[in-house]
Amino acid sequence: MKKSIIISLAALLFTFSGWAQNRKQDAQAIEKQVDAMVISWNNHDHSDMKNYTTPDCDWVNIVGMWWKNRKEVEFSTQFYHDRMFKNTPMKKKNVAIRFISPTVALVHFTSHIGSFTTPDGHAMPEGDNLALLVYVKQNGKWLMTAGENVVVDPFAQKNAPAKFMPK
């Protein structure tokens, strides 16, 4: 009995240590997929989304439009890049990854977006965006299955409640 408990614990530890070692590789693979999204943005060509998204991926854009599959996400993203983002660069600032399981990860991706003009003619200054991305590992490859981005308001950030929370 004691021997079987020790063997079970050893197997469990081996499994967890293997997952911990793979986490670094997985994090690097996810960051490469974020980089692929940034490259698509900066090339203003999103025809390669199949390389870094699932077919059923969802995206909620900065003004609350909900695109419900890769076809809609790719078309809509390209639509805006052909119009208002065609000269707007994106720079990756930070990627923070939290693994929910060995095959699911939440990613907080902070980027800096150049200035652009909205379809109704409003000039928007450059600024930071924060995206929450959900990645799943399918057939050994990390793919984005959902995302949503928001504008980071630097004035509001100064008064974030968590800054006033007792330590």
Side-chain angles (χ1 to χ4, degrees):
M1 169 99 168
K2 193 175 187 180
K3 186 176 181 180
S4 64
I5 291 173
I6 291 172
I7 290 171
S8 296
L9 286 173
L12 189 62
L13 287 173
F14 179 76
T15 300
F16 283 127
S17 69
W19 186 43
Q21 291 171 354
N22 288 337
R23 281 182 125 178
K24 184 176 181 180
Q25 292 172 339
D26 287 336
Q28 290 170 340
I30 290 168
E31 186 140 3
K32 283 183 182 178
Q33 293 294 61
V34 172
D35 290 342
M37 185 174 62
V38 173
I39 290 167
S40 292
W41 176 287
N42 287 323
N43 289 336
H44 309 290
D45 178 4
H46 298 276
S47 62
D48 63 345
M49 275 192 175
K50 65 187 171 293
N51 298 322
Y52 57 86
T53 63
T54 62
D56 61 346
C57 71
D58 285 353
W59 187 270
V60 177
N61 79 354
I62 208 155
V63 292
M65 294 177 190
W66 181 13
W67 305 326
K68 298 180 182 85
N69 57 59
R70 182 193 298 142
K71 188 175 178 180
E72 281 187 19
V73 174
E74 183 179 324
F75 177 85
S76 300
T77 304
Q78 192 63 54
F79 180 89
Y80 284 124
H81 273 264
D82 290 343
R83 289 157 180 81
M84 66 183 191
F85 294 127
K86 61 184 167 188
N87 297 310
T88 304
M90 173 191 282
K91 179 183 172 198
K92 178 176 78 172
K93 290 184 73 175
N94 188 52
V95 175
I97 300 168
R98 179 167 63 104
F99 289 96
I100 303 301
S101 77
T103 60
V104 179
L106 293 181
V107 176
H108 286 88
F109 165 50
T110 307
S111 62
H112 187 81
I113 305 293
S115 61
F116 60 93
T117 302
T118 63
D120 62 353
H122 286 88
M124 302 298 292
E126 64 181 69
D128 290 345
N129 279 264
L130 176 62
L132 177 60
L133 311 173
V134 180
Y135 279 83
V136 292
K137 192 172 191 178
Q138 295 181 346
N139 300 318
K141 187 173 183 178
W142 285 97
L143 300 169
M144 181 177 61
T145 194
E148 180 174 3
N149 67 312
V150 298
V151 171
V152 176
D153 181 335
F155 299 108
Q157 296 299 314
K158 294 176 186 176
N159 295 305
K163 289 184 177 185
F164 304 103
M165 195 169 86
K167 303 285 179 195

